[in-house]
Amino acid sequence: MEHIISGVAKFQKEVYPSKKAAFQKLANGQNPEVLFITCADSRIDPNLVTQTEPGELFICRNAGNIIPPHSNQTGGMTASIEFAVAALGVSHIIICGHSDCGAMKGAINTEGLSSLPHVKEWLGHSRVATEVVKEKCGCAELNNNDHLGLVIEENVVQQLQHIKTHPAVAAKIATGQVKLHGWVYDIESAEIKTYDEATGSFKPVEDTDVETLAKQSK
Ligand SMILES: [Zn+2]
């Protein structure tokens, strides 16, 4: 914990002074362009991997980057998504899964979660991904060696479906005001793959994507 406290002191003394104007501008409001939903895993730093600054990403995190389908029961994800989309007016939503995801390992092996009842219940929202992978592979059971990567990708695809059930999101998508993006981040190589709805597959982010996005946002 000591290095956390000394980190705060370093931030205040060394980092803050060089960015004081930016923080003063942010002090009275935020206008993020992107709602970034990812796993709570400690190895993911959304601002680092996207090279963005405070104020640019509205970030929601949980185990497994899961978005429960809309229901009339209020939860933290539901409220945060509604606020980001309907109040802040974000124009992009990125759902970002990642390599070696412990939550997806849990979704594959739910029997190992008997001492973690809430985790087990939460990962029920990823069951759709494990069932799809089982069907595609023709396997009765999944395992981490052969199927983890597929489950991680399929979970992102299914959470993209779940978020569309949220009324605020559906309304903005229907009118072209919000675009959805599915990503998988590889911790070891820093590669980020994006979901291509047309082909139903993930492909690496390339320079061409950056150019296309730049044109779209003009
Ligand atoms: Zn994870």
Side-chain angles (χ1 to χ4, degrees):
M1 189 63 195
E2 268 171 45
H3 74 290
I4 302 286
I5 303 299
S6 61
V8 171
K10 187 180 176 190
F11 168 69
Q12 291 169 340
K13 281 187 202 133
E14 296 174 25
V15 180
Y16 171 76
S18 66
K19 296 182 175 180
K20 197 172 174 181
F23 283 115
Q24 284 176 339
K25 201 173 159 201
L26 287 171
N28 297 311
Q30 60 170 333
N31 186 26
E33 185 190 5
V34 174
L35 165 59
F36 196 99
I37 298 169
T38 192
C39 187
D41 192 297
S42 64
R43 298 166 291 180
I44 304 165
D45 185 336
N47 289 117
L48 182 68
V49 302
T50 60
Q51 289 294 287
T52 47
E53 294 289 330
E56 291 188 71
L57 303 178
F58 188 86
I59 301 170
C60 292
R61 306 185 68 153
N62 62 56
N65 38 271
I66 285 165
I67 297 129
H70 183 261
S71 76
N72 290 329
Q73 221 170 7
T74 296
M77 285 304 289
T78 310
S80 302
I81 289 166
E82 186 178 77
F83 180 71
V85 172
L88 295 176
V90 298
S91 43
H92 295 274
I93 300 173
I94 296 168
I95 301 174
C96 183
H98 68 100
S99 60
D100 197 50
C101 183
M104 291 307 104
K105 291 178 187 173
I108 287 173
N109 178 24
T110 51
E111 281 154 26
L113 298 172
S114 54
S115 62
L116 304 169
H118 290 292
V119 174
K120 190 172 182 176
E121 194 181 338
W122 177 247
L123 293 178
H125 294 302
S126 291
R127 210 188 124 207
V128 62
T130 53
E131 290 300 320
V132 168
V133 172
K134 267 185 206 168
E135 200 66 29
K136 280 186 177 173
C137 297
C139 301
E141 296 294 329
L142 301 180
N143 65 72
N144 287 332
N145 288 339
D146 299 329
H147 305 114
L148 181 59
L150 294 171
V151 170
I152 288 166
E153 288 185 355
E154 195 59 44
N155 181 57
V156 169
V157 174
Q158 297 305 329
Q159 303 312 324
L160 285 168
Q161 298 300 322
H162 287 175
I163 202 167
K164 290 180 194 169
T165 66
H166 290 249
V169 176
K172 299 286 184 183
I173 290 173
T175 50
Q177 295 174 78
V178 162
K179 287 198 168 63
L180 298 180
H181 311 267
W183 288 10
V184 172
Y185 166 59
D186 186 272
I187 293 166
E188 190 173 5
S189 70
E191 183 177 62
I192 288 180
K193 286 187 191 167
T194 64
Y195 180 60
D196 178 10
E197 207 169 356
T199 61
S201 61
F202 282 79
K203 56 175 193 172
V205 174
E206 290 165 2
D207 293 343
T208 49
D209 299 327
V210 176
E211 283 166 22
T212 310
L213 263 179
K215 275 182 205 152
Q216 282 172 356
S217 60
K218 268 178 193 161

